[in-house]
mmCIF file of all heavy atoms in Angstrom:
data_model
loop_
_atom_site.group_PDB
_atom_site.id
_atom_site.type_symbol
_atom_site.label_atom_id
_atom_site.label_comp_id
_atom_site.label_asym_id
_atom_site.label_seq_id
_atom_site.Cartn_x
_atom_site.Cartn_y
_atom_site.Cartn_z
ATOM 1 N N GLU T 1 215.961 53.490 -126.703
ATOM 2 C CA GLU T 1 214.518 53.417 -126.973
ATOM 3 C C GLU T 1 214.069 51.965 -127.137
ATOM 4 O O GLU T 1 213.026 51.563 -126.606
ATOM 5 C CB GLU T 1 214.196 54.205 -128.244
ATOM 6 C CG GLU T 1 212.725 54.256 -128.572
ATOM 7 C CD GLU T 1 212.443 55.073 -129.816
ATOM 8 O OE1 GLU T 1 213.248 55.951 -130.162
ATOM 9 O OE2 GLU T 1 211.406 54.814 -130.445
ATOM 10 N N ILE T 2 214.865 51.177 -127.840
ATOM 11 C CA ILE T 2 214.529 49.761 -128.024
ATOM 12 C C ILE T 2 214.542 49.040 -126.685
ATOM 13 O O ILE T 2 213.645 48.243 -126.379
ATOM 14 C CB ILE T 2 215.506 49.107 -129.020
ATOM 15 C CG1 ILE T 2 215.231 49.639 -130.428
ATOM 16 C CG2 ILE T 2 215.381 47.593 -129.000
ATOM 17 C CD1 ILE T 2 216.293 49.261 -131.446
ATOM 18 N N ALA T 3 215.551 49.317 -125.856
ATOM 19 C CA ALA T 3 215.634 48.681 -124.539
ATOM 20 C C ALA T 3 214.426 49.062 -123.679
ATOM 21 O O ALA T 3 213.848 48.209 -122.994
ATOM 22 C CB ALA T 3 216.934 49.080 -123.839
ATOM 23 N N GLU T 4 214.029 50.325 -123.728
ATOM 24 C CA GLU T 4 212.867 50.770 -122.956
ATOM 25 C C GLU T 4 211.601 50.072 -123.452
ATOM 26 O O GLU T 4 210.774 49.625 -122.658
ATOM 27 C CB GLU T 4 212.717 52.292 -123.067
ATOM 28 C CG GLU T 4 211.515 52.842 -122.342
ATOM 29 C CD GLU T 4 211.550 52.591 -120.849
ATOM 30 O OE1 GLU T 4 212.645 52.462 -120.268
ATOM 31 O OE2 GLU T 4 210.460 52.502 -120.245
ATOM 32 N N ARG T 5 211.464 49.952 -124.773
ATOM 33 C CA ARG T 5 210.293 49.279 -125.332
ATOM 34 C C ARG T 5 210.267 47.814 -124.897
ATOM 35 O O ARG T 5 209.217 47.289 -124.535
ATOM 36 C CB ARG T 5 210.318 49.376 -126.860
ATOM 37 C CG ARG T 5 209.046 48.881 -127.502
ATOM 38 C CD ARG T 5 209.039 49.046 -129.013
ATOM 39 N NE ARG T 5 209.501 50.351 -129.428
ATOM 40 C CZ ARG T 5 210.390 50.547 -130.400
ATOM 41 N NH1 ARG T 5 210.897 49.535 -131.060
ATOM 42 N NH2 ARG T 5 210.754 51.758 -130.733
ATOM 43 N N ARG T 6 211.433 47.159 -124.907
ATOM 44 C CA ARG T 6 211.490 45.762 -124.475
ATOM 45 C C ARG T 6 211.122 45.624 -123.010
ATOM 46 O O ARG T 6 210.418 44.691 -122.622
ATOM 47 C CB ARG T 6 212.886 45.187 -124.722
ATOM 48 C CG ARG T 6 213.146 44.893 -126.165
ATOM 49 C CD ARG T 6 214.527 44.320 -126.370
ATOM 50 N NE ARG T 6 214.757 44.035 -127.776
ATOM 51 C CZ ARG T 6 215.934 43.881 -128.323
ATOM 52 N NH1 ARG T 6 217.021 43.954 -127.586
ATOM 53 N NH2 ARG T 6 216.051 43.646 -129.606
ATOM 54 N N ARG T 7 211.623 46.552 -122.176
ATOM 55 C CA ARG T 7 211.266 46.500 -120.751
ATOM 56 C C ARG T 7 209.771 46.684 -120.563
ATOM 57 O O ARG T 7 209.147 45.975 -119.774
ATOM 58 C CB ARG T 7 212.031 47.577 -119.970
ATOM 59 C CG ARG T 7 213.448 47.217 -119.627
ATOM 60 C CD ARG T 7 214.050 48.189 -118.629
ATOM 61 N NE ARG T 7 214.124 49.542 -119.133
ATOM 62 C CZ ARG T 7 215.137 50.026 -119.864
ATOM 63 N NH1 ARG T 7 216.145 49.252 -120.183
ATOM 64 N NH2 ARG T 7 215.133 51.271 -120.269
ATOM 65 N N THR T 8 209.193 47.609 -121.296
ATOM 66 C CA THR T 8 207.748 47.852 -121.192
ATOM 67 C C THR T 8 206.966 46.623 -121.638
ATOM 68 O O THR T 8 206.005 46.214 -120.968
ATOM 69 C CB THR T 8 207.361 49.069 -122.059
ATOM 70 O OG1 THR T 8 208.093 50.206 -121.609
ATOM 71 C CG2 THR T 8 205.875 49.344 -121.970
ATOM 72 N N GLU T 9 207.383 46.030 -122.757
ATOM 73 C CA GLU T 9 206.688 44.836 -123.245
ATOM 74 C C GLU T 9 206.841 43.678 -122.264
ATOM 75 O O GLU T 9 205.887 42.928 -122.035
ATOM 76 C CB GLU T 9 207.233 44.440 -124.623
ATOM 77 C CG GLU T 9 206.850 45.420 -125.713
ATOM 78 C CD GLU T 9 207.594 45.177 -127.009
ATOM 79 O OE1 GLU T 9 208.492 44.312 -127.050
ATOM 80 O OE2 GLU T 9 207.273 45.865 -128.001
ATOM 81 N N GLN T 10 208.026 43.528 -121.678
ATOM 82 C CA GLN T 10 208.243 42.455 -120.701
ATOM 83 C C GLN T 10 207.372 42.678 -119.467
ATOM 84 O O GLN T 10 206.786 41.740 -118.938
ATOM 85 C CB GLN T 10 209.719 42.381 -120.301
ATOM 86 C CG GLN T 10 210.032 41.217 -119.376
ATOM 87 C CD GLN T 10 209.755 39.876 -120.033
ATOM 88 O OE1 GLN T 10 210.158 39.633 -121.160
ATOM 89 N NE2 GLN T 10 209.062 39.001 -119.339
ATOM 90 N N THR T 11 207.275 43.922 -119.024
ATOM 91 C CA THR T 11 206.417 44.239 -117.876
ATOM 92 C C THR T 11 204.968 43.890 -118.191
ATOM 93 O O THR T 11 204.266 43.314 -117.350
ATOM 94 C CB THR T 11 206.547 45.739 -117.521
ATOM 95 O OG1 THR T 11 207.913 46.010 -117.185
ATOM 96 C CG2 THR T 11 205.660 46.106 -116.354
ATOM 97 N N THR T 12 204.534 44.213 -119.392
ATOM 98 C CA THR T 12 203.163 43.896 -119.795
ATOM 99 C C THR T 12 202.942 42.386 -119.802
ATOM 100 O O THR T 12 201.918 41.896 -119.303
ATOM 101 C CB THR T 12 202.877 44.485 -121.189
ATOM 102 O OG1 THR T 12 203.092 45.893 -121.144
ATOM 103 C CG2 THR T 12 201.456 44.197 -121.623
ATOM 104 N N ARG T 13 203.909 41.644 -120.359
ATOM 105 C CA ARG T 13 203.786 40.181 -120.370
ATOM 106 C C ARG T 13 203.775 39.624 -118.953
ATOM 107 O O ARG T 13 203.003 38.708 -118.645
ATOM 108 C CB ARG T 13 204.936 39.554 -121.174
ATOM 109 C CG ARG T 13 204.756 39.685 -122.665
ATOM 110 C CD ARG T 13 205.739 38.810 -123.423
ATOM 111 N NE ARG T 13 207.120 39.166 -123.174
ATOM 112 C CZ ARG T 13 207.822 40.066 -123.856
ATOM 113 N NH1 ARG T 13 207.256 40.713 -124.846
ATOM 114 N NH2 ARG T 13 209.085 40.304 -123.567
ATOM 115 N N ASP T 14 204.637 40.157 -118.087
ATOM 116 C CA ASP T 14 204.678 39.688 -116.697
ATOM 117 C C ASP T 14 203.344 39.943 -115.993
ATOM 118 O O ASP T 14 202.845 39.085 -115.259
ATOM 119 C CB ASP T 14 205.804 40.377 -115.924
ATOM 120 C CG ASP T 14 207.183 39.929 -116.368
ATOM 121 O OD1 ASP T 14 207.280 38.927 -117.115
ATOM 122 O OD2 ASP T 14 208.167 40.595 -115.983
ATOM 123 N N GLN T 15 202.774 41.120 -116.219
ATOM 124 C CA GLN T 15 201.483 41.434 -115.601
ATOM 125 C C GLN T 15 200.393 40.505 -116.114
ATOM 126 O O GLN T 15 199.546 40.046 -115.339
ATOM 127 C CB GLN T 15 201.115 42.888 -115.870
ATOM 128 C CG GLN T 15 201.954 43.880 -115.095
ATOM 129 C CD GLN T 15 201.679 45.314 -115.513
ATOM 130 O OE1 GLN T 15 201.061 45.575 -116.539
ATOM 131 N NE2 GLN T 15 202.160 46.251 -114.704
ATOM 132 N N ALA T 16 200.410 40.233 -117.409
ATOM 133 C CA ALA T 16 199.408 39.327 -117.977
ATOM 134 C C ALA T 16 199.579 37.918 -117.403
ATOM 135 O O ALA T 16 198.583 37.251 -117.082
ATOM 136 C CB ALA T 16 199.524 39.301 -119.497
ATOM 137 N N ALA T 17 200.819 37.476 -117.259
ATOM 138 C CA ALA T 17 201.072 36.139 -116.693
ATOM 139 C C ALA T 17 200.616 36.088 -115.240
ATOM 140 O O ALA T 17 200.022 35.088 -114.803
ATOM 141 C CB ALA T 17 202.548 35.791 -116.800
ATOM 142 N N ARG T 18 200.884 37.155 -114.479
ATOM 143 C CA ARG T 18 200.436 37.196 -113.076
ATOM 144 C C ARG T 18 198.916 37.147 -112.998
ATOM 145 O O ARG T 18 198.345 36.430 -112.177
ATOM 146 C CB ARG T 18 200.943 38.467 -112.392
ATOM 147 C CG ARG T 18 202.215 38.278 -111.609
ATOM 148 C CD ARG T 18 202.501 39.435 -110.670
ATOM 149 N NE ARG T 18 202.527 40.726 -111.319
ATOM 150 C CZ ARG T 18 203.559 41.222 -111.989
ATOM 151 N NH1 ARG T 18 204.658 40.526 -112.116
ATOM 152 N NH2 ARG T 18 203.495 42.413 -112.537
ATOM 153 N N ALA T 19 198.263 37.895 -113.861
ATOM 154 C CA ALA T 19 196.797 37.903 -113.873
ATOM 155 C C ALA T 19 196.256 36.518 -114.236
ATOM 156 O O ALA T 19 195.285 36.041 -113.639
ATOM 157 C CB ALA T 19 196.279 38.956 -114.853
ATOM 158 N N ALA T 20 196.902 35.858 -115.202
ATOM 159 C CA ALA T 20 196.459 34.516 -115.609
ATOM 160 C C ALA T 20 196.645 33.521 -114.465
ATOM 161 O O ALA T 20 195.769 32.681 -114.217
ATOM 162 C CB ALA T 20 197.231 34.063 -116.846
ATOM 163 N N ARG T 21 197.788 33.613 -113.767
ATOM 164 C CA ARG T 21 198.008 32.707 -112.628
ATOM 165 C C ARG T 21 196.988 32.972 -111.525
ATOM 166 O O ARG T 21 196.465 32.028 -110.921
ATOM 167 C CB ARG T 21 199.431 32.880 -112.078
ATOM 168 C CG ARG T 21 200.480 32.180 -112.897
ATOM 169 C CD ARG T 21 201.809 32.114 -112.171
ATOM 170 N NE ARG T 21 202.322 33.414 -111.775
ATOM 171 C CZ ARG T 21 203.089 34.193 -112.545
ATOM 172 N NH1 ARG T 21 203.428 33.803 -113.747
ATOM 173 N NH2 ARG T 21 203.516 35.356 -112.096
ATOM 174 N N ALA T 22 196.698 34.236 -111.261
ATOM 175 C CA ALA T 22 195.721 34.573 -110.231
ATOM 176 C C ALA T 22 194.342 34.033 -110.611
ATOM 177 O O ALA T 22 193.625 33.487 -109.769
ATOM 178 C CB ALA T 22 195.662 36.088 -110.023
ATOM 179 N N GLU T 23 193.984 34.175 -111.880
ATOM 180 C CA GLU T 23 192.694 33.669 -112.342
ATOM 181 C C GLU T 23 192.648 32.151 -112.247
ATOM 182 O O GLU T 23 191.637 31.568 -111.827
ATOM 183 C CB GLU T 23 192.434 34.128 -113.779
ATOM 184 C CG GLU T 23 191.141 33.619 -114.369
ATOM 185 C CD GLU T 23 189.896 34.112 -113.645
ATOM 186 O OE1 GLU T 23 189.968 35.077 -112.864
ATOM 187 O OE2 GLU T 23 188.839 33.497 -113.839
ATOM 188 N N GLN T 24 193.737 31.486 -112.601
ATOM 189 C CA GLN T 24 193.791 30.026 -112.513
ATOM 190 C C GLN T 24 193.662 29.586 -111.054
ATOM 191 O O GLN T 24 192.926 28.629 -110.738
ATOM 192 C CB GLN T 24 195.114 29.530 -113.104
ATOM 193 C CG GLN T 24 195.233 28.024 -113.139
ATOM 194 C CD GLN T 24 196.551 27.599 -113.766
ATOM 195 O OE1 GLN T 24 197.449 28.396 -113.975
ATOM 196 N NE2 GLN T 24 196.665 26.320 -114.062
ATOM 197 N N THR T 25 194.347 30.279 -110.163
ATOM 198 C CA THR T 25 194.253 29.962 -108.735
ATOM 199 C C THR T 25 192.830 30.172 -108.236
ATOM 200 O O THR T 25 192.290 29.354 -107.490
ATOM 201 C CB THR T 25 195.238 30.840 -107.939
ATOM 202 O OG1 THR T 25 196.559 30.594 -108.424
ATOM 203 C CG2 THR T 25 195.175 30.556 -106.453
ATOM 204 N N ARG T 26 192.216 31.278 -108.658
ATOM 205 C CA ARG T 26 190.840 31.568 -108.238
ATOM 206 C C ARG T 26 189.885 30.487 -108.732
ATOM 207 O O ARG T 26 189.042 29.993 -107.981
ATOM 208 C CB ARG T 26 190.414 32.936 -108.782
ATOM 209 C CG ARG T 26 189.042 33.393 -108.274
ATOM 210 C CD ARG T 26 188.517 34.576 -109.054
ATOM 211 N NE ARG T 26 188.189 34.233 -110.428
ATOM 212 C CZ ARG T 26 187.087 33.579 -110.804
ATOM 213 N NH1 ARG T 26 186.199 33.197 -109.914
ATOM 214 N NH2 ARG T 26 186.858 33.309 -112.081
ATOM 215 N N ARG T 27 190.037 30.085 -109.988
ATOM 216 C CA ARG T 27 189.150 29.049 -110.535
ATOM 217 C C ARG T 27 189.344 27.713 -109.828
ATOM 218 O O ARG T 27 188.371 27.003 -109.555
ATOM 219 C CB ARG T 27 189.408 28.867 -112.036
ATOM 220 C CG ARG T 27 188.867 30.000 -112.849
ATOM 221 C CD ARG T 27 189.092 29.783 -114.313
ATOM 222 N NE ARG T 27 188.603 30.932 -115.060
ATOM 223 C CZ ARG T 27 188.495 30.963 -116.368
ATOM 224 N NH1 ARG T 27 188.834 29.915 -117.080
ATOM 225 N NH2 ARG T 27 188.052 32.034 -116.967
ATOM 226 N N ALA T 28 190.595 27.365 -109.500
ATOM 227 C CA ALA T 28 190.862 26.117 -108.781
ATOM 228 C C ALA T 28 190.220 26.172 -107.395
ATOM 229 O O ALA T 28 189.638 25.181 -106.930
ATOM 230 C CB ALA T 28 192.363 25.875 -108.674
ATOM 231 N N ARG T 29 190.322 27.307 -106.729
ATOM 232 C CA ARG T 29 189.716 27.461 -105.392
ATOM 233 C C ARG T 29 188.202 27.326 -105.480
ATOM 234 O O ARG T 29 187.573 26.631 -104.666
ATOM 235 C CB ARG T 29 190.107 28.830 -104.820
ATOM 236 C CG ARG T 29 189.667 29.036 -103.385
ATOM 237 C CD ARG T 29 190.086 30.394 -102.834
ATOM 238 N NE ARG T 29 191.500 30.639 -103.022
ATOM 239 C CZ ARG T 29 192.013 31.672 -103.721
ATOM 240 N NH1 ARG T 29 191.222 32.554 -104.293
ATOM 241 N NH2 ARG T 29 193.312 31.818 -103.831
ATOM 242 N N VAL T 30 187.616 27.977 -106.488
ATOM 243 C CA VAL T 30 186.159 27.889 -106.677
ATOM 244 C C VAL T 30 185.764 26.435 -106.918
ATOM 245 O O VAL T 30 184.771 25.938 -106.355
ATOM 246 C CB VAL T 30 185.706 28.802 -107.835
ATOM 247 C CG1 VAL T 30 184.290 28.481 -108.277
ATOM 248 C CG2 VAL T 30 185.827 30.262 -107.431
ATOM 249 N N GLU T 31 186.529 25.730 -107.748
ATOM 250 C CA GLU T 31 186.224 24.334 -108.041
ATOM 251 C C GLU T 31 186.350 23.468 -106.790
ATOM 252 O O GLU T 31 185.508 22.592 -106.545
ATOM 253 C CB GLU T 31 187.152 23.824 -109.153
ATOM 254 C CG GLU T 31 186.899 22.387 -109.559
ATOM 255 C CD GLU T 31 185.513 22.146 -110.138
ATOM 256 O OE1 GLU T 31 184.844 23.102 -110.575
ATOM 257 O OE2 GLU T 31 185.086 20.973 -110.148
ATOM 258 N N ARG T 32 187.396 23.683 -106.001
ATOM 259 C CA ARG T 32 187.537 22.915 -104.749
ATOM 260 C C ARG T 32 186.373 23.184 -103.811
ATOM 261 O O ARG T 32 185.821 22.261 -103.200
ATOM 262 C CB ARG T 32 188.859 23.265 -104.047
ATOM 263 C CG ARG T 32 190.070 22.620 -104.660
ATOM 264 C CD ARG T 32 191.287 22.748 -103.768
ATOM 265 N NE ARG T 32 191.577 24.099 -103.343
ATOM 266 C CZ ARG T 32 192.341 24.970 -104.022
ATOM 267 N NH1 ARG T 32 192.873 24.611 -105.180
ATOM 268 N NH2 ARG T 32 192.564 26.162 -103.551
ATOM 269 N N ARG T 33 185.963 24.420 -103.710
ATOM 270 C CA ARG T 33 184.826 24.752 -102.842
ATOM 271 C C ARG T 33 183.540 24.126 -103.363
ATOM 272 O O ARG T 33 182.707 23.652 -102.592
ATOM 273 C CB ARG T 33 184.680 26.271 -102.734
ATOM 274 C CG ARG T 33 185.771 26.896 -101.898
ATOM 275 C CD ARG T 33 185.644 28.394 -101.845
ATOM 276 N NE ARG T 33 186.715 28.964 -101.047
ATOM 277 C CZ ARG T 33 187.018 30.242 -101.018
ATOM 278 N NH1 ARG T 33 186.319 31.107 -101.745
ATOM 279 N NH2 ARG T 33 188.003 30.675 -100.272
ATOM 280 N N ARG T 34 183.368 24.151 -104.682
ATOM 281 C CA ARG T 34 182.172 23.554 -105.275
ATOM 282 C C ARG T 34 182.124 22.056 -104.982
ATOM 283 O O ARG T 34 181.085 21.519 -104.582
ATOM 284 C CB ARG T 34 182.163 23.796 -106.791
ATOM 285 C CG ARG T 34 180.886 23.326 -107.473
ATOM 286 C CD ARG T 34 181.002 23.356 -108.973
ATOM 287 N NE ARG T 34 182.004 22.429 -109.492
ATOM 288 C CZ ARG T 34 181.836 21.103 -109.592
ATOM 289 N NH1 ARG T 34 180.723 20.545 -109.178
ATOM 290 N NH2 ARG T 34 182.792 20.332 -110.078
ATOM 291 N N ARG T 35 183.268 21.378 -105.149
ATOM 292 C CA ARG T 35 183.311 19.944 -104.877
ATOM 293 C C ARG T 35 183.086 19.645 -103.397
ATOM 294 O O ARG T 35 182.387 18.681 -103.051
ATOM 295 C CB ARG T 35 184.648 19.358 -105.314
ATOM 296 C CG ARG T 35 184.795 19.285 -106.809
ATOM 297 C CD ARG T 35 186.117 18.700 -107.192
ATOM 298 N NE ARG T 35 186.274 18.701 -108.638
ATOM 299 C CZ ARG T 35 187.354 18.317 -109.268
ATOM 300 N NH1 ARG T 35 188.396 17.883 -108.576
ATOM 301 N NH2 ARG T 35 187.424 18.353 -110.570
ATOM 302 N N ALA T 36 183.658 20.474 -102.529
ATOM 303 C CA ALA T 36 183.459 20.271 -101.089
ATOM 304 C C ALA T 36 181.988 20.445 -100.733
ATOM 305 O O ALA T 36 181.437 19.679 -99.934
ATOM 306 C CB ALA T 36 184.334 21.244 -100.298
ATOM 307 N N ALA T 37 181.354 21.437 -101.330
ATOM 308 C CA ALA T 37 179.927 21.656 -101.070
ATOM 309 C C ALA T 37 179.107 20.478 -101.575
ATOM 310 O O ALA T 37 178.151 20.036 -100.918
ATOM 311 C CB ALA T 37 179.469 22.957 -101.726
#
């Protein structure tokens, strides 16, 4: 049960990190486009 809980928590952290990286990439792209414009 503890191992399953750790796997679930790790999956949640990984998903949050992926979402944060995607958001950071999106914001950088928006900023580059804004500067180019």
Side-chain angles (χ1 to χ4, degrees):
E1 183 179 335
I2 289 169
E4 178 62 27
R5 188 177 314 133
R6 285 180 180 161
R7 280 191 298 274
T8 301
E9 290 169 354
Q10 185 62 48
T11 300
T12 302
R13 284 192 298 271
D14 290 348
Q15 288 173 346
R18 264 195 305 279
R21 281 193 303 272
E23 178 63 16
Q24 184 179 12
T25 301
R26 186 193 68 77
R27 286 182 182 190
R29 186 179 308 121
V30 166
E31 181 62 19
R32 283 192 307 272
R33 288 178 181 167
R34 186 190 64 76
R35 288 180 183 176

